[in-house]
């Protein structure tokens, strides 16, 4: 199993780009730590109940909690796949925990892609974001509009704004990204794995640029 980590600030398009890549390549699979956690909260699992408070505040959940969920999932995945990890790891502690899981799965960390987007664009992107509470599909009022305003293309459910996309919470998430996740860039650069991709543009062009560095 090959692993590609997609790194970037909230609003940098990690989920959208990883999703498009996975749609285009049969053996590529998009794994979003945020989606896993949101599902656990919805299902009221013990992990979901523990994670909920952190998520609503826009804080990161404890390293061990998300690392165990990711490890459970990675151990169940077919060996021939390439996993696109969106949102994990996010702290230096999680880098070490991911290394352990990779060794356990006999997987290979192929590359770490950083989606680079200026801060004013991040804020603008998050402001227009909405998701389907049923199937998890993501939209944006101008960049990825649903066919019918406010309704999911896939399942017809009314779209909602994520609780943690409220402006105050977004500011906190951006600060936490700088503090907790930016140090990972240097760490992966030292390992020769980091690929920086300018990601302020049209989605198909960004997808092509990411493919080109993999
Ligand atoms: P996301 O959809 O990636 O923005 O994640 C939504 C929320 O889930 C984050 O604001 C965190 O509260 C939590 N979360 C997702 N991934 C992680 C992670 N790797 N470590 C800690 N918390 C996470």
């Amino acid at each position: 199993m090959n692993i590609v980590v997609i790194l970037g600030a909230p609003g940098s398009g990690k989920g959208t780009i990883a999703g498009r890549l996975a749609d285009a390549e049969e053996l590529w699979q998009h794994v979003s730590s945020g989606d896993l956690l949101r599902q656990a909260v919805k299902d009221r699992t013990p992990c979901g109940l523990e994670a909920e408070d952190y998520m609503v505040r826009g804080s990161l959940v404890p390293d061990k909690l998300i690392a165990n969920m990711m490890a459970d999932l990675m151990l169940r995945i077919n060996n021939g796949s390439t996993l696109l990890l969106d949102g994990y790891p996010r702290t230096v502690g999680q880098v070490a925990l991911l290394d352990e899981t990779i060794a356990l799965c006999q997987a290979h960390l192929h590359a770490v892609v950083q989606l680079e987007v200026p801060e004013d664009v991040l804020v603008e992107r998050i402001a227009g974001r909405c998701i389907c509470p049923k199937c998890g599909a993501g939209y944006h009022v101008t960049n990825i509009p649903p066919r019918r305003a406010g309704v999911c293309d896939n399942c017809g459910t009314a779209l909602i704004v994520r609780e943690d996309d409220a402006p105050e919470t977004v500011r906190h998430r951006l600060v936490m990204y700088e503090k907790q996740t930016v140090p990972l860039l240097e760490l992966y650069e030292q390992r020769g794995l980091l690929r920086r991709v300018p990601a302020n543009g049209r989605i198909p062009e960004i997808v092509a640029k990411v493919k080109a560095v993999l």
Side-chain angles (χ1 to χ4, degrees), residues 155-198:
C155 64
T157 304
L159 301 176
I160 57 163
V161 173
R162 273 169 46 178
E163 217 170 340
D164 59 346
D165 276 349
E168 259 321 296
T169 317
V170 167
R171 268 190 285 280
H172 178 60
R173 286 166 65 204
L174 287 170
V175 170
M176 296 319 275
Y177 173 77
E178 283 295 323
K179 221 164 114 179
Q180 294 181 289
T181 309
V182 165
L184 274 59
L185 302 175
E186 200 185 326
L187 209 149
Y188 281 128
E189 183 144 60
Q190 282 165 5
R191 292 197 198 173
L193 288 168
L194 190 68
R195 315 272 184 273
R196 295 178 197 272
V197 175

Side-chain angles (χ1 to χ4, degrees), residues 33-34 37-38 55 59-61 66 87-88 90 94 162 164 173:
S33 54
L37 285 162
R38 276 184 287 277
M55 294 174 74
S59 299
L60 295 184
V61 308
I66 185 63
Y88 180 79
R90 254 170 154 110
Q94 290 177 22
R162 273 169 46 178
D164 59 346
R173 286 166 65 204

Side-chain angles (χ1 to χ4, degrees), residues 58-154:
S59 299
L60 295 184
V61 308
D63 286 348
K64 274 278 181 197
L65 173 73
I66 185 63
N68 289 341
M69 287 178 76
M70 295 297 288
D72 281 351
L73 186 140
M74 286 169 67
L75 283 162
R76 279 187 274 119
I77 283 177
N78 180 322
N79 262 340
S81 311
T82 292
L83 287 200
L84 303 165
L85 297 188
D86 150 21
Y88 180 79
R90 254 170 154 110
T91 66
V92 172
Q94 290 177 22
V95 169
L97 293 165
L98 174 61
D99 287 342
E100 284 174 21
T101 305
I102 288 175
L104 205 65
C105 301
Q106 297 183 316
H108 165 70
L109 182 52
H110 175 70
V112 175
V113 175
Q114 186 207 355
L115 299 179
E116 294 182 314
V117 179
E119 188 166 328
D120 54 331
V121 178
L122 294 175
V123 172
E124 185 270 328
R125 279 190 189 169
I126 297 176
R129 204 151 78 159
C130 46
I131 60 163
C132 172
K134 189 164 176 211
C135 73
Y139 299 89
H140 185 278
V141 278
T142 47
N143 304 343
I144 319 173
R147 283 193 293 273
R148 196 146 69 84
V151 178
C152 178
D153 291 348
N154 301 334

Side-chain angles (χ1 to χ4, degrees), residues 18-40:
R20 299 287 169 108
L21 287 166
D23 287 345
E25 303 283 338
E26 202 185 329
L27 290 174
W28 289 15
Q29 213 169 312
H30 172 202
V31 175
S32 152
S33 54
D35 285 351
L36 262 187
L37 285 162
R38 276 184 287 277
Q39 191 60 48

